[in-house]
Amino acid sequence: MCKFFSFCLFVTLSGLCSYAQDAKPDAYQDSLQTIIDSNVSKTLKKDALFLLGEHLVQRDPDRAENIASKLQEAYIKSTDSSAVIRNNYIFAASHRWQGDYKTALDYYQSIYNYSKRKKDSIDMAKSGHFIGTINMFLGNNVISQNHLIEVASIYDKLGTAEQKADINNSLAGFYLNMDQIEKGKDKYLLALEQYEKLNDSAGMASANANLGMLYTELGEFDKAEMHLMKQKALNAVFPTLREMGFHYDFLGVLRQEQGRLNDAYQEHLKALKIRENLSSTYNLCESKLNMGEVLIKLKRYPEAISHLKDVFSYDEHQSLYQQQAAYQLLSEAYEKNGDYKSSLTNFKAFKRLSDSIYSEESIEIIAEKDARYNQQKKDAEITLLNKEKELSETKLSRSKSIQLISLVALLLLSIAAIALYQLYRKIKSKNNTISKALSDRELLLHETHHRVKNNLQMISSLLNLQSKYVEDPKALEALQNGRNRVQSMAILHKNLYTGEDLTTVNIQSYFEGLVDSIFSSYHKTGKEITATVKAKDIVLDIEKVIHIGLIVNELVTNSLKHAFNNVEANLEPKIQIEMTETAMNYNLVVFDNGVGISEKIIKRGKEETFGQRLIRSLTQKLKATIETNNTHGTHISITIPKTNKAAR
């Protein structure tokens, strides 16, 4: 299950939440309350109420909302627009921290509309940033991008260093939601660098948390753990239960990916207990999703289903991403619990929602606007350079000390500059065209691999469902083998769209995912049979990997089905897959320590199965040679030449 939707939950938005963060919360709060309760002027009391409401929006949003209501009723005149806007920010933030995103959006939208009428760019950016981020949480990608791009454009010209860091942090989350992993990673690293220069502990904690989740998804667990531990240390500067909820949930996701399921469950449980006592139902649903996922892996399906159903119990935010994830996990939980009808119903709902979020039309709109923003940013830089050039030329023309030879030299330089500028514009125009084409191609390839993986996954699920109604053992085995072959190609496409290169595959990661899938389909675990993959630093193009993946699928399947029947009781079953590289060849070895393979099969007699014929056909297409050794188990070596491409 994709985790990128979770990243956006931990963005840092400056402004309302930053008041008096360096002061001790109780002392600051008590000092403001003392002013409010004392016999002071109405103006001073109003200012203290504003500061207290702004201070409490995250710590105690219900009380902050009550303060805003009191300000509205007793202290703010409808004609005092600045006070109305300031109070609306308190209303909006308090509803946001309560998890009531619909009401929060209404307040932020009213602030944005007023700021737009008054042509107040900074307030437009400030409110627009919240609108874009909340819509990102809810899965409204086009609306989110409209506001975030507008905010970035304003902050590029007028924003503070902190505001620029905040928008980069938010844009990173947006790109990751759209599966643009490299763009997202670059933005997070840029935001972290900017927060470090500002010594902004809350911002650094946010960026480190998001990088921890990103590297978890990429399988770089050491980097992920480092960033999550940095987040925990930074949270100590301004500790709240909300930040610790994120830390435990993100750490639980990391432990899941590391295979430490019991540790993952404990971390998610800590996060859930924290969030059950907080006001945000959005964050609570995030914990429910993570609990559902880890409980499925722990085979505690009824508990998982109960948590996942809870996601649909809250209408305050109606996040499409959370509903999408809940449907997908419910489909898996029902299937593994034997309720195939409910599984199919939830899978269909997941597909409908996925197609609505990632529709072709919305992806095209997003790509076009992103390209337009980048172009406008570059054009603004060129305009600034041109203005500086014009100013320089004006000063030179007014100088009385320039002699005739200088004028001639300036004329020649100007002619050269104009020629170079025209050449630069032509090159720049061509480069922009090429860059846009490459960007569009990359986005299309990502989406293509994503959809191919989803379609193959659906075929695999359909084959699995069909197998439940087949009683003939041979037919059942054929369906199972077919499902595994489809699954091997689905895993390949997943590796392609999540990797940095869309044309090559990391063999270590691919083989590990393939072996896990085969073991899962035969209900085997690492405790029963030890599986080892050694293919470090091997990267191959997709043409070879398709054939090699099918070969490995057949060999590992054969080992699971035949190698360990009637073996000695003290034998520790092992399967090892190793791939090495020489100057001329790739060497693939699949070994098990089971009973060995029949000599009849080695000699390709009449009893040759479809799987053996498939292996022979695939090795021929790779122009590879295959050797079988029956000593102490089955040892199959395949030598694949580098120079010959797989036959089409």
Side-chain angles (χ1 to χ4, degrees), residues 96 98 140 384 437 506 596 603 605:
R96 179 162 57 90
Q98 290 165 359
N140 302 322
L384 181 61
N506 182 294
K603 294 177 181 179

Side-chain angles (χ1 to χ4, degrees), residues 18-33:
S18 63
Y19 285 90
Q21 287 184 3
D22 294 332
K24 292 181 180 179
D26 289 342
Y28 181 76
Q29 182 176 327
D30 290 344
S31 65
L32 291 173
Q33 191 63 53

Side-chain angles (χ1 to χ4, degrees), residues 51 173 241 279 291 301 309 350 399 429 462 485 576 629:
L51 291 172
L241 289 175
S279 56
M291 284 294 289
Y301 306 126
K309 282 184 173 180
F350 159 71
S399 176
S429 177
L462 290 172
R485 290 164 188 142
Q576 182 168 311
N629 188 325

